[in-house]
Amino acid sequence: MIKAVIFDLDGTLIDTEKYFRINWPKAFEHFGYKMTDEQYLSIRSLGKPFVQETLKAFSGDPSFNYEELIAYRGKLMEESLAENGLEVKKGAEELLSYLKEKGIICAIATASPVDRSERYLKTAGIYKYFDRIISARNMKEGKPSPDVYEFAVKELGLKKEECFAVEDSPNGALSAYRAGLKVIMVPDQSPTDEETKKIIFAEVENLSQIINLIQ
């Protein structure tokens, strides 16, 4: 019996990853570095300690300033969203409405800060569906380590067997899998790779199809 569905945010519920895909390389270029598309895809959902080290390695600069780069990338993202708006992913509202009707808890487990996550959910008009927002920024490591999902399950007062995790990236899927949750993959920006296929419970094309897995 599934009692909760724990969602990743960016690329899973809201259509922001396409802007991250543009703005990460732009931010790198601004500081005189280069980021390939493959490198961008590899950092999706990474927890702060992992992404800091990875970005420093990408830059090749011993004096790489993570905080400065992340602030500039944030500025670029806000400009992109101001210009283009913020859209929910296909099937999101149908699924969230169904879960609410059935009394199934909805939570967020994201690499993004809580305040930004709340703002995005409110702007997208789906904040009302969520019982908890848990940020990996408050964890020791974050994705792909299991800590954010382990904490989420504990905070909800449930067993891991009672929760689905919904993710769009390999790092996020691995985090939930390591925490012992059944992972539903809704790929965004790239197809699900073979290693990720081995650890997921199911893959769907859009969020509304998850309803069939719960009924």
Side-chain angles (χ1 to χ4, degrees), residues 2 6 16 21 49 60 69 105 113 116 121 165 176 178-179 184 209:
I2 295 299
I6 307 172
T16 46
R21 193 171 189 170
L69 181 127
I105 295 168
R116 188 172 77 201
L121 289 168
R178 285 172 169 170
I184 301 172
Q209 294 174 347

Side-chain angles (χ1 to χ4, degrees), residues 27-60:
F28 247 52
E29 185 178 353
H30 177 79
F31 290 99
Y33 312 126
K34 183 178 180 181
M35 175 183 283
T36 67
D37 192 53
E38 184 179 4
Q39 287 173 331
Y40 151 74
L41 291 172
S42 74
I43 65 170
R44 287 174 296 164
S45 289
L46 274 186
K48 186 176 180 179
F50 300 119
V51 79
Q52 279 183 299
E53 290 304 311
T54 303
L55 293 176
K56 185 176 182 178
F58 288 169
S59 75

Side-chain angles (χ1 to χ4, degrees), residues 196-209:
T196 303
K197 285 181 180 180
K198 294 175 184 177
I199 65 172
I200 61 175
F201 172 72
E203 179 177 336
V204 295
E205 293 182 3
N206 70 74
L207 291 165
S208 64
Q209 294 174 347

Side-chain angles (χ1 to χ4, degrees), residues 155-182:
E155 284 293 289
L156 296 175
L158 299 174
K159 299 175 182 178
K160 59 188 178 182
E161 296 85 4
E162 298 173 321
C163 305
F164 273 148
V166 183
E167 282 280 354
D168 71 294
S169 71
N171 289 319
L174 186 56
S175 173
Y177 172 78
R178 285 172 169 170
L181 278 70
K182 290 183 177 179

Side-chain angles (χ1 to χ4, degrees), residues 36-106:
T36 67
D37 192 53
E38 184 179 4
Q39 287 173 331
Y40 151 74
L41 291 172
S42 74
I43 65 170
R44 287 174 296 164
S45 289
L46 274 186
K48 186 176 180 179
F50 300 119
V51 79
Q52 279 183 299
E53 290 304 311
T54 303
L55 293 176
K56 185 176 182 178
F58 288 169
S59 75
D61 182 358
S63 60
F64 174 77
N65 189 321
Y66 171 79
E67 297 300 338
E68 191 175 40
L69 181 127
I70 205 79
Y72 186 74
R73 191 228 59 196
K75 174 179 174 292
L76 294 177
M77 280 296 295
E78 291 303 318
E79 290 172 356
S80 292
L81 295 175
E83 180 180 351
N84 299 290
L86 190 60
E87 298 178 353
V88 296
K89 298 291 286 185
K90 185 177 180 181
E93 293 199 60
E94 184 180 350
L95 171 60
L96 293 169
S97 178
Y98 173 83
L99 295 174
K100 188 175 182 67
E101 178 185 327
K102 296 296 181 182
I104 296 173
I105 295 168
C106 291

